[in-house]
Amino acid sequence: MIDQPLLPGLDEESAPFFEYAARGELRVQACADCGVRRMPPRPRCERCGSFEHRWDAMSGLGTVWSFVVPHPPLLPAYSEQAPYNVVLVELEDDPTIRLVGNVVAGADDRLDSIDPHSIAIGMPVEVVFPRPVSDDEGAVVLPRWTPA
Amino acid sequence: MKDQTAVAGIGTTDFAKSLDDSERVLALKALKAALDDAGIRPGEVDGLSCYSMEATEEIDIARNMGFGDLTYFGKVPYGGGAGCGVVGQAAMAVATGQCNVAVAWRSRKRGSRSSRPWAGVSSRVQGDQQRWSRPWGLLRPVDEIAMLTRRHMHRYGTTRDHLANVALAFRRHANNNPAAVMGDREMTRDDYMAARWVSEPLCLFDNCLETDGSCAVVVTSTERARDLRQPPALLHSWAQSLPAQHQTMTNFFCDDPLRGPAWACAEKLWSLSDVGPADVDVAQLYDAFSPLVPLSLEGYGFCERGEGGHFTDDGGIELGGRLPTNTSGGGMSEAYLHGFNLIVEAVRQVRGTSTNQVEGAEFSLCTSGEGVPTGALLFRRDR
């Protein structure tokens, strides 16, 4: 069993999200022709069929749509921080876009740095960008959230 | 296809936390039991259908069983979403003349910790289903469903007591079923409320069992089935659905995450049927996690949207209630074999041989996993 935190495997569609995050930007993929935003990023617009896309900058504000509090048994890197919170954040700029994340006290704080029971659906949150997490394949910045 | 095909034989192995037999041997034993039950020789089998996640190989099963020349074989993906589609596709192959006797099975050994799906993960998470959730610690299927559950509670007032109704109903049903892994273990509401958390708002007893075991069914034409040993369970209607915008398990990114695959499946199922939800006498609803039951009650039209939790009140899903559900104990108290034991129980109900028999059951529904591309079977007692 692996003992480091999990990182996203990056492909052509997903890599830009994390490249922007590494620059401190929260951006969401949108169709370059009809403008519909989509999550997860993917090659083709399901509305107009276009293969062209762009990355729209978001304000980084959102609200908690739902959340869970995982308890062990979990992978070791997560188990030692449990119970922690995982939230689904609905973006203020575009409520059709939701992102999985964690609410933390500060960008680089532990997953259990805030009491998970202080979280509520509808709670306003703001994106933060922690230091990159690295493995053999490189470094990734995973956007997280703080109470707004 | 309405009523043209039937399940003519069912077979199961023991269900237990740990069995000595391999998955292959368990599959062969369940298949033999199902063929014996029907009174069909293995050499007559010319079709088979299985889950894409089934580890036993079709050619290996066919050789070991002594099947004849197979002219139909197929697989259905998405784990617990597959079961009803597996049987439905076997029946479709019979109905269209691609084969005459088809078998379907599911064999699993999940008691061992090393077999858990998240035990062998690598540090880089691939695929859109998990890349956008697992790195943040949403690691297990239970976490993914807990996210939807919390929202359902917030939106519709569903409570832990409703989830306890589900867990308790299925445990009580299991207590009458000697084959159930939890057959001799009783549960109270206090036990439920005191259980350890797994992923809040879901606790230990909101989860299915990790089980070893195998189940199989034999499908043939209704005409043929009427000449065999057992009363045929007519396949009155069946459906599959992979709805628009759906993403397996993490259905968080679509317009309406709480409107799961059950809704599209139900629409097709009822459109192909002579009856509707009010005519269903007994149901086996996929229960990898307790909240899938209220979600399925809503999706298949047994209640209004948001009322799935309330439907479980006052014994609503227990024997004698509005819709007796998971009468063998289901995945939460009989065995968790990706829902195949639910199919076997749905057949027993129209045969009249369940250990929790619903008196005079004519229409018996079985569903596969809600939250993933799914399927459903509606069986009918032969007249």
Side-chain angles (χ1 to χ4, degrees):
Chain A
M1 195 183 305
I2 66 160
D3 54 9
Q4 69 267 41
L6 299 175
L7 291 175
L10 302 183
D11 62 6
E12 196 178 340
E13 281 79 35
S14 56
F17 177 90
F18 296 98
E19 287 161 10
Y20 285 116
R23 295 173 3 205
E25 294 179 38
L26 184 69
R27 288 185 181 246
V28 172
Q29 194 194 41
C31 174
D33 286 318
C34 77
V36 168
R37 297 196 184 103
R38 54 198 193 228
M39 181 69 206
R42 48 188 178 266
R44 185 175 185 272
C45 176
E46 71 176 30
R47 189 166 84 173
C48 78
S50 173
F51 283 89
E52 302 303 317
H53 65 265
R54 63 175 196 239
W55 286 84
D56 289 352
M58 298 287 111
S59 67
L61 298 174
T63 54
V64 173
W65 188 87
S66 187
F67 68 102
V68 303
V69 183
H71 291 251
L74 294 156
L75 294 173
Y78 297 88
S79 194
E80 62 101 10
Q81 301 182 75
Y84 56 88
N85 71 83
V86 186
V87 293
L88 191 59
V89 174
E90 191 168 275
L91 297 188
E92 186 178 271
D93 295 325
D94 189 339
T96 68
I97 300 297
R98 303 185 193 98
L99 300 172
V100 175
N102 310 108
V103 180
V104 287
D108 291 303
D109 288 340
R110 286 167 53 93
L111 294 181
D112 59 358
S113 56
I114 76 162
D115 174 4
H117 301 107
S118 69
I119 295 172
I121 289 177
M123 175 179 169
V125 290
E126 181 171 9
V127 75
V128 290
F129 299 97
R131 283 190 297 270
V133 184
S134 296
D135 66 5
D136 295 347
E137 293 179 40
V140 179
V141 171
L142 294 175
R144 302 162 92 185
W145 304 85
T146 54
Chain B
M1 272 185 69
K2 196 187 297 173
D3 299 332
Q4 289 176 28
T5 62
V7 170
I10 53 177
T12 63
T13 63
D14 288 342
F15 305 139
K17 195 84 182 161
S18 178
L19 295 172
D20 291 335
D21 286 334
S22 65
E23 279 183 358
R24 177 163 71 168
V25 169
L26 291 172
L28 299 172
K29 286 183 172 176
L31 282 160
K32 177 175 191 313
L35 287 163
D36 288 349
D37 183 54
I40 289 181
R41 288 180 303 103
E44 287 186 68
V45 174
D46 56 359
L48 61 75
S49 180
C50 51
Y51 292 60
S52 70
M53 290 172 77
E54 176 61 37
T56 61
E57 285 274 351
E58 295 96 318
I59 52 170
D60 190 35
I61 293 295
R63 279 202 310 193
N64 272 281
M65 288 301 301
F67 292 161
D69 296 336
L70 297 188
T71 55
Y72 174 78
F73 47 93
K75 274 186 169 165
V76 181
Y78 299 108
C84 292
V86 165
V87 175
Q89 292 193 12
M92 188 159 65
V94 170
T96 55
Q98 297 304 123
C99 63
N100 296 310
V101 177
V103 296
W105 73 98
R106 184 76 176 106
S107 182
R108 269 193 132 200
K109 294 195 76 167
R110 282 290 294 275
S112 155
R113 280 188 164 264
S114 63
S115 68
R116 305 291 160 82
W118 53 277
V121 296
S122 60
S123 67
R124 287 282 176 154
V125 185
Q126 307 294 341
D128 284 343
Q129 182 198 334
Q130 296 170 350
R131 175 188 292 134
W132 299 98
S133 55
R134 294 212 168 176
W136 289 271
L138 199 75
L139 300 176
R140 306 159 298 185
V142 64
D143 304 313
E144 296 164 338
I145 294 301
M147 190 71 86
L148 297 176
T149 306
R150 173 92 66 183
R151 184 70 187 186
H152 197 273
M153 289 173 151
H154 171 81
R155 177 82 179 76
Y156 298 115
T158 306
T159 63
R160 290 196 72 212
D161 264 305
H162 293 136
L163 302 182
N165 290 342
V166 174
L168 290 166
F170 301 170
R171 183 61 58 91
R172 284 175 191 141
H173 295 161
N175 290 150
N176 290 334
N177 174 11
V181 170
M182 291 292 175
D184 56 6
R185 296 275 291 276
E186 295 193 356
M187 192 201 300
T188 66
R189 194 165 295 267
D190 287 345
D191 293 335
Y192 174 91
M193 292 298 172
R196 67 177 171 83
W197 291 115
V198 176
S199 191
E200 296 176 56
L202 300 181
C203 71
L204 179 66
F205 293 128
D206 292 309
N207 289 262
C208 58
L209 308 170
E210 295 291 357
T211 318
D212 290 2
S214 181
C215 295
V217 300
V218 180
V219 180
T220 190
S221 69
T222 295
E223 194 183 356
R224 174 85 201 279
R226 283 180 173 141
D227 297 332
L228 296 170
R229 282 182 189 155
Q230 302 291 348
L234 308 193
L235 187 48
H236 180 68
S237 174
W238 75 283
Q240 288 182 273
S241 80
L242 192 166
Q245 293 193 324
H246 179 63
Q247 181 162 303
T248 300
M249 295 304 292
T250 49
N251 195 38
F252 306 152
F253 311 110
C254 63
D255 293 342
D256 190 354
L258 293 179
R259 194 178 190 282
W263 290 78
C265 192
E267 194 176 325
K268 189 68 181 173
L269 182 80
W270 301 128
S271 78
L272 294 171
S273 170
D274 290 343
V275 298
D279 303 293
V280 173
D281 300 294
V282 54
Q284 315 300 323
L285 303 179
Y286 193 87
D287 60 341
F289 307 105
S290 63
L292 299 184
V293 171
L295 287 170
S296 298
L297 289 167
E298 295 172 18
Y300 286 96
F302 294 105
C303 59
E304 293 298 313
R305 185 162 174 177
E307 294 296 315
H310 302 289
F311 189 93
T312 66
D313 282 332
D314 308 316
I317 58 172
E318 297 193 30
L319 207 59
R322 289 181 285 282
L323 182 69
T325 300
N326 293 15
T327 45
S328 69
M332 292 172 63
S333 276
E334 184 189 39
Y336 182 62
L337 297 173
H338 262 163
F340 217 89
N341 51 316
L342 298 177
I343 298 171
V344 170
E345 175 67 5
V347 170
R348 283 194 206 104
Q349 284 287 353
V350 290
R351 281 185 179 184
T353 59
S354 170
T355 54
N356 285 303
Q357 183 61 42
V358 172
E359 205 57 43
E362 184 182 1
F363 286 99
S364 168
L365 174 71
C366 184
T367 71
S368 288
E370 172 64 336
V372 292
T374 194
L377 301 165
L378 183 61
F379 292 108
R380 179 181 205 165
R381 189 183 63 210
D382 201 13
R383 291 172 188 280

